[in-house]
Amino acid sequence: MKRTLPLYSVLLTAIAVPSVIQADDNAISRSNSLPARIKQGSPVKAPENWMFRVDESDIIRDTPAGVSSLYSKSCDYYTMSLFGIGQGSSKGMPCTVVENDNNEFYIYNPFSGIDTKSWLKGDIDGDRMTIHLPQAIYADGTDDEQFVYVAQLCHYETTDPEAGEGLYYTETGETEVIFHREGNSWVMEETTVNDHPLIIGLVAADDGSWCAYSDWDITLTPFEGETVTPPAGLETRQWAMIVPVEGEYVAGKPVNVGFDGDDVYVQGFSNMFPDAWVKGSVSDNNSKIIFPSRQYLGANEMSNTFGYFYGATEEEVYNEEWDFYYNETHFADNLSMNYDPETQSMTTEGTLLINRGDWEVSMDESFTAPRIHPQGEITDFRPINPIAGYFSEPGYYMGSEYFSFPIINKEGQLLDTSKLYYRIYVDKEPFTFYTDEYVGLPDDTEEIPFLFSNMETLGYYGTCGITHFFYFSFTGYESIDIQTLYRDGEEVYYSDIVPVIGGSGVESINAVEAAGVADVQWYDMTGMRVERPGNGLWLKRTVMTDGTVRTEKVVRR
């Protein structure tokens, strides 16, 4: 029986380690799909040693008995994506551990890049902890046949000294990883082979092939962050936070706001940590509300993230080599918002940052110049018009259209995104999205929900998720148009139909008429241009039809 692997899981006979992609150190997320099977060169001798005698029942899936604690894990790692092997380093990611009276120490999800849903066991003897390997750690397959993977040490060997290339080989037999207690931390003892550290790799038990996912140089430290807890009985109201996208206030989200004397509590700034609260204080004779930076929001182990609230500033920087400007984000001591007690509105020109970790800027969400205020009764549910963006014809790749999907009405009020949809018209007829081409849709449909994404042919990203895209393969069309709508039971409220290509323009209900988009270019953070950006942090350079150029940092997930 052959294993069924995802598209990117191509079996290779050799991987030159210097060819790995440098991952965004603070944006790694765990894969919950099958691991890539990257077969490394096997030693000539004793091939039978490449079968590790383990069974799926050896995997520790149930939470062990003992005391569970949240630790911060720093490490170097390899992970796998559509673009190949990624290498990175983290200064701190959430890690759940269990300790018990038998001097056993269990680490949940021991690999940074994949969700194994299992525990790696260590044994403590004083200030020394030993992890005996191999240990069964993961399994995939079908009901008829399962394939088991183990955690095992792997070493590096140079294969081409002139090119500086080499391979990782799986160690055969029993091995061990040693940690030493330093203060309240456990620090992995470094062992080198051929001037490279031994790594803890994910390895297929049946043939010893290395699967790229690996961790090394590990330090485990108890995490001591505390989230904000509002006082018992705090009365809150739902307000709206409206934020600009490319200068127009077309996005936002609902937030809960409560006042307790001079203290102000806000819940809902972060999508990743929607239940987290941020605390501020009224100052300057009731004219300002100050939210201190570095407020801990919570831990998300699937995204390897400790979330923090920060105030931030934006600095425009010129890249001389590539001849464009972009914004750099810097931590500030706080987010200072102007406060109007009569309208109960908060405004600022500063940036509200939801950050991954507290050691450097690694934004998960960023909102510049947000406005927070109570939202009155909505009487107009018609969304303002979508804004057509980058378009490409089908060719070697599928065609695509990127567009902005505003989530406010003409009065600037926030609409419920669970009731928003969009349509595509091809030659003035509604286009049907079929489930065989648009994976994940429950049924064939002419309307795509705002919150739907398969991240392949349909999806969204960016500030409050208003940047949407769809891919298509049809040809021979004369026009393509977009329309958004708000559906509340039998009541439906439509935007205008906006042309993407082949149209003659519409009567816009938008507050500001924007120039069209002539070209969209993507760059990585080193300034290198890329054609199809994946997940991570990118520079987006938009060239408008009036000749102006806008450059921004964009996080894609």
Side-chain angles (χ1 to χ4, degrees):
M1 174 183 175
K2 294 184 178 179
R3 298 166 191 250
T4 302
L5 299 174
L7 177 65
Y8 62 80
S9 302
V10 181
L11 194 65
L12 305 176
T13 56
I15 286 290
V17 173
S19 68
V20 297
I21 302 165
Q22 187 66 32
D24 183 347
D25 290 351
N26 301 306
I28 176 179
S29 297
R30 296 182 192 272
S31 168
N32 54 16
S33 61
L34 302 179
R37 294 267 290 154
I38 301 176
K39 191 178 182 71
Q40 301 302 311
S42 303
V44 176
K45 296 181 180 179
E48 67 274 8
N49 287 336
W50 279 78
M51 178 174 285
F52 296 103
R53 307 273 178 196
V54 295
D55 186 79
E56 184 186 0
S57 62
D58 297 322
I59 300 172
I60 305 173
R61 289 198 172 98
D62 295 333
T63 302
V67 178
S68 177
S69 304
L70 182 64
Y71 272 56
S72 175
K73 172 185 174 183
S74 66
C75 66
D76 294 323
Y77 59 81
Y78 287 128
T79 187
M80 192 68 184
S81 72
L82 285 168
F83 304 99
I85 303 176
Q87 180 179 353
S89 177
S90 175
K91 295 180 181 178
M93 60 178 70
C95 176
T96 298
V97 308
V98 168
E99 302 175 71
N100 60 33
D101 293 337
N102 296 324
N103 291 321
E104 294 171 336
F105 190 96
Y106 294 88
I107 304 170
Y108 187 65
N109 271 347
F111 292 104
S112 300
I114 185 167
D115 182 25
T116 63
K117 294 183 173 65
S118 61
W119 300 82
L120 186 71
K121 177 177 177 289
D123 298 291
I124 297 175
D125 183 8
D127 290 335
R128 175 188 174 100
M129 177 169 63
T130 304
I131 297 177
H132 297 280
L133 301 177
Q135 288 187 38
I137 203 73
Y138 185 72
D140 68 60
T142 66
D143 293 338
D144 297 328
E145 189 170 6
Q146 286 285 307
F147 300 97
V148 180
Y149 300 79
V150 300
Q152 174 64 320
L153 287 177
C154 303
H155 72 273
Y156 178 89
E157 291 187 15
T158 301
T159 56
D160 187 342
E162 292 185 1
E165 295 181 349
L167 302 173
Y168 274 105
Y169 292 79
T170 302
E171 296 287 296
T172 59
E174 296 181 354
T175 61
E176 59 183 32
V177 179
I178 305 299
F179 283 77
H180 296 281
R181 195 194 305 268
E182 296 183 8
N184 63 349
S185 299
W186 288 104
V187 180
M188 180 178 174
E189 181 181 284
E190 182 180 22
T191 303
T192 58
V193 174
N194 302 323
D195 296 324
H196 286 75
L198 286 175
I199 63 177
I200 305 174
L202 186 69
V203 173
D206 60 352
D207 63 3
S209 57
W210 177 58
C211 300
Y213 298 102
S214 307
D215 284 44
W216 68 98
D217 193 18
I218 302 167
T219 298
L220 300 170
T221 305
F223 183 74
E224 299 177 350
E226 294 186 5
T227 57
V228 172
T229 301
L234 178 71
E235 294 185 4
T236 64
R237 293 173 56 196
Q238 188 176 88
W239 290 15
M241 181 174 78
I242 308 297
V243 296
V245 178
E246 297 186 351
E248 301 299 324
Y249 281 85
V250 295
K253 60 173 63 178
V255 294
N256 295 317
V257 179
F259 286 78
D260 181 43
D262 288 338
D263 293 333
V264 184
Y265 296 85
V266 182
Q267 181 189 54
F269 281 146
S270 169
N271 288 336
M272 185 178 293
F273 306 100
D275 297 329
W277 292 88
V278 172
K279 180 182 177 181
S281 298
V282 178
S283 65
D284 290 359
N285 295 320
N286 221 25
S287 64
K288 290 187 179 297
I289 297 178
I290 307 298
F291 295 93
S293 289
R294 200 176 175 270
Q295 297 191 47
Y296 174 58
L297 303 177
N300 186 311
E301 292 193 50
M302 277 301 294
S303 295
N304 289 325
T305 299
F306 288 114
Y308 286 86
F309 166 92
Y310 274 90
T313 59
E314 302 285 336
E315 177 187 7
E316 188 174 64
V317 177
Y318 176 64
N319 185 309
E320 184 174 354
E321 181 179 0
W322 296 94
D323 188 28
F324 66 81
Y325 290 88
Y326 65 95
N327 287 334
E328 280 191 355
T329 304
H330 304 279
F331 287 149
D333 292 336
N334 56 60
L335 178 67
S336 176
M337 303 197 74
N338 299 317
Y339 179 57
D340 184 338
E342 289 189 14
T343 61
Q344 291 187 310
S345 61
M346 309 180 213
T347 60
T348 182
E349 294 302 313
T351 296
L352 189 163
L353 188 65
I354 306 300
N355 203 65
R356 294 170 175 256
D358 62 345
W359 51 88
E360 62 186 7
V361 173
S362 178
M363 67 185 72
D364 184 69
E365 298 170 85
S366 176
F367 309 102
T368 297
R371 299 172 179 174
I372 304 173
H373 53 75
Q375 179 159 286
E377 181 183 359
I378 299 177
T379 58
D380 182 1
F381 292 93
R382 185 169 58 147
I384 66 173
N385 289 348
I387 304 168
Y390 173 73
F391 174 82
S392 66
E393 301 270 2
Y396 184 77
Y397 296 109
M398 295 178 71
S400 64
E401 165 62 15
Y402 287 73
F403 64 97
S404 293
F405 189 156
I407 54 179
I408 62 171
N409 62 13
K410 191 176 181 181
E411 304 302 319
Q413 294 172 302
L414 191 62
L415 300 176
D416 183 351
T417 55
S418 69
K419 298 180 179 180
L420 289 172
Y421 301 79
Y422 69 86
R423 287 178 171 178
I424 302 299
Y425 294 86
V426 180
D427 294 336
K428 309 307 178 185
E429 295 294 328
F431 175 72
T432 300
F433 295 86
Y434 292 103
T435 57
D436 59 346
E437 185 172 9
Y438 296 93
V439 177
L441 289 173
D443 301 293
D444 298 341
T445 182
E446 294 178 355
E447 298 178 359
I448 301 299
F450 179 93
L451 297 173
F452 178 81
S453 173
N454 61 22
M455 291 311 296
E456 294 179 2
T457 51
L458 295 167
Y460 59 89
Y461 63 93
T463 302
C464 299
I466 75 162
T467 302
H468 283 243
F469 64 84
F470 67 92
Y471 283 75
F472 61 93
S473 56
F474 56 81
T475 57
Y477 52 83
E478 294 184 0
S479 67
I480 298 177
D481 307 291
I482 311 171
Q483 183 181 44
T484 60
L485 59 108
Y486 183 95
R487 181 177 294 279
D488 188 11
E490 296 182 357
E491 299 292 331
V492 184
Y493 307 85
Y494 296 94
S495 76
D496 296 322
I497 297 175
V498 175
V500 172
I501 186 170
S504 58
V506 297
E507 185 72 26
S508 176
I509 67 168
N510 289 359
V512 177
E513 191 172 317
V517 176
D519 188 24
V520 175
Q521 302 160 4
W522 294 89
Y523 298 84
D524 64 20
M525 298 310 294
T526 67
M528 182 175 295
R529 186 169 179 178
V530 296
E531 294 299 323
R532 296 170 67 89
N535 294 349
L537 185 62
W538 305 91
L539 293 174
K540 177 185 176 185
R541 185 173 187 260
T542 305
V543 182
M544 308 303 291
T545 53
D546 62 4
T548 60
V549 176
R550 292 196 292 260
T551 303
E552 59 183 325
K553 285 184 180 180
V554 173
V555 178
R556 298 192 66 182
R557 291 181 292 276

